[in-house]
Amino acid sequence: MSISVVDVTKRFGDFTALDGVSLEVPDGSLTALLGPSGSGKSTLLRVIAGLERPQGGRVVMNGRDVTDVPVQERGVGFCFQHYAAFKHQTVHGNIAFGLKIRKRPKDEIDARVAELLALVQLEGFADRYPAQLSGGQRQRMALARALAVEPEVLLLDEPFGALDATVRKQLRQWLRRLHDEVHVTTIFVTHDQEEAMDVAEQIVVMNHARIEQAGTPRQLYDEPANEFVMGFVGEVNRIGDQLVRPHDIEILLEPDGRAQEGQIERVAHLGFEVRVDLLLDDGRTLAVQTTSADAEQRELEAGQIVYLRPDRARRFSAQR
């Protein structure tokens, strides 16, 4: 199902949560809403779901205006950061809940639950209770429950936010594979740019109730629309009025008349990659990424004086 958000505005009293937001979500895509806290991500998701009604604008699904359509008639499934599991029901009971209230036959419910347990890799856990599951398993159960009613749109609000870093990484890879299997139009909210870059086909960067840029992960990283996007999607250094990625700075051992002098404070070997933290002659700090082979060849070490030459630096006009 394709989704169009057209000039949507949402206010809570004097606070503007969405300010004329427009967005296109292609059918069957996996889209991330990315931005800092308070940028409007979750509010936009809730407006799409029908949980919030905008003061202006429209939400269109497959060409149908659903702005005033109740949430239960939009064909959406939800999964939130806090699983909202029914603690006194088994995994089977939690997943079957939406089917039971729709009065589906028991045989059909059991078959659908078994199918979903296999899909989310929880075979053998049907009779366990949520308290007997790990955090990652509970989140997969919550996703299975959202998928049970075969929604046309799946909406995920910080689905992995309560999990530790290792489990988050495992689950986002799993979500990508799951999406490739079910192909349901999916929108998920995150403030983690690495998570968005790893999972999504389209990333929508939000800030102060507006969309700054929407595009593929590569477009946002390589062709940021403005200074905010470049700083939020990936690490960045400021050199004068220029912004430059850490891997786009060349370290020279001798001055060349254009390079800026700096002193190495720390060399951190991170496998293939090496991070070099430097102190510039004007007192500012700067980070450079290079390869382990390059760092070894140049014999880079703390205390060394080097010279820095930016490549692919960018300048942006003043933002609104």
Side-chain angles (χ1 to χ4, degrees), residues 246-275:
H247 56 78
D248 286 329
I249 299 175
E250 184 180 2
I251 297 178
L252 306 177
L253 300 181
E254 300 292 338
D256 72 347
R258 295 179 298 148
Q260 185 167 2
E261 181 179 305
Q263 183 177 33
I264 297 177
E265 290 192 310
R266 179 171 178 264
V267 179
H269 292 264
L270 309 171
F272 172 79
E273 177 185 299
V274 171
R275 177 188 172 100

Side-chain angles (χ1 to χ4, degrees), residues 22-278:
S22 294
L23 172 66
E24 294 292 330
V25 178
D27 180 29
S29 66
L30 180 50
T31 294
L33 303 181
L34 174 67
S37 297
S39 59
K41 310 182 298 295
S42 292
T43 301
L44 177 55
L45 195 77
R46 291 174 66 84
V47 166
I48 292 171
L51 296 170
E52 300 286 355
R53 185 174 178 179
Q55 280 88 10
R58 298 179 297 133
V59 177
V60 180
M61 294 183 173
N62 268 4
R64 176 192 176 207
D65 190 333
V66 298
T67 310
D68 298 317
V69 173
V71 57
Q72 63 269 24
E73 297 178 19
R74 295 197 186 191
V76 299
F78 306 97
C79 186
F80 300 100
Q81 177 176 346
H82 301 289
Y83 325 108
F86 301 115
K87 297 179 182 179
H88 302 297
Q89 292 194 29
T90 63
V91 170
H92 183 288
N94 269 275
I95 296 172
F97 177 77
L99 298 170
K100 287 179 178 177
I101 64 174
R102 287 166 174 78
K103 302 186 184 303
R104 300 285 179 84
K106 184 179 184 304
D107 289 348
E108 179 185 330
I109 292 174
D110 290 342
R112 179 63 174 156
V113 171
E115 176 187 353
L116 288 164
L117 286 170
L119 184 66
V120 302
Q121 301 170 6
L122 286 178
E123 305 102 315
F125 289 81
D127 295 328
R128 295 196 188 185
Y129 289 87
Q132 297 173 305
L133 303 178
S134 68
Q137 289 168 339
R138 286 196 295 271
Q139 192 58 277
R140 297 207 305 271
M141 180 193 71
L143 284 164
R145 186 173 63 185
L147 290 167
V149 295
E150 299 181 304
E152 295 182 87
V153 176
L154 183 61
L155 304 177
L156 314 174
D157 194 354
E158 297 275 9
F160 311 137
L163 305 172
D164 64 53
T166 300
V167 177
R168 286 182 70 144
K169 187 171 184 178
Q170 292 171 347
L171 277 184
R172 71 192 191 210
Q173 293 170 347
W174 173 83
L175 177 62
R176 176 76 258 180
R177 294 193 299 269
L178 176 68
H179 180 265
D180 290 342
E181 288 189 47
V182 299
H183 296 294
V184 62
T185 303
T186 302
I187 305 174
F188 75 99
V189 166
T190 183
H191 63 272
D192 185 332
Q193 60 95 5
E194 182 180 342
E195 187 167 276
M197 297 281 283
D198 189 26
V199 175
E201 298 162 347
Q202 174 179 238
I203 300 176
V204 179
V205 180
M206 299 190 67
N207 187 36
H208 295 311
R210 295 184 178 183
I211 291 176
E212 298 284 355
Q213 187 176 358
T216 66
R218 185 168 183 177
Q219 286 172 335
L220 267 63
Y221 191 86
D222 292 339
E223 304 167 26
N226 53 44
E227 184 174 321
F228 176 82
V229 175
M230 185 165 185
F232 200 81
V233 181
E235 193 173 355
V236 69
N237 295 295
R238 182 180 292 276
I239 301 178
D241 63 347
Q242 301 178 100
L243 296 178
V244 59
R245 301 287 188 197
H247 56 78
D248 286 329
I249 299 175
E250 184 180 2
I251 297 178
L252 306 177
L253 300 181
E254 300 292 338
D256 72 347
R258 295 179 298 148
Q260 185 167 2
E261 181 179 305
Q263 183 177 33
I264 297 177
E265 290 192 310
R266 179 171 178 264
V267 179
H269 292 264
L270 309 171
F272 172 79
E273 177 185 299
V274 171
R275 177 188 172 100
V276 183
D277 295 324
L278 301 111

Side-chain angles (χ1 to χ4, degrees), residues 281-299:
D281 52 10
D282 60 7
R284 291 181 296 114
T285 58
L286 183 142
V288 176
Q289 289 174 345
T290 187
T291 65
S292 179
D294 181 69
E296 184 176 343
Q297 180 182 359
R298 296 169 187 266
E299 300 181 339

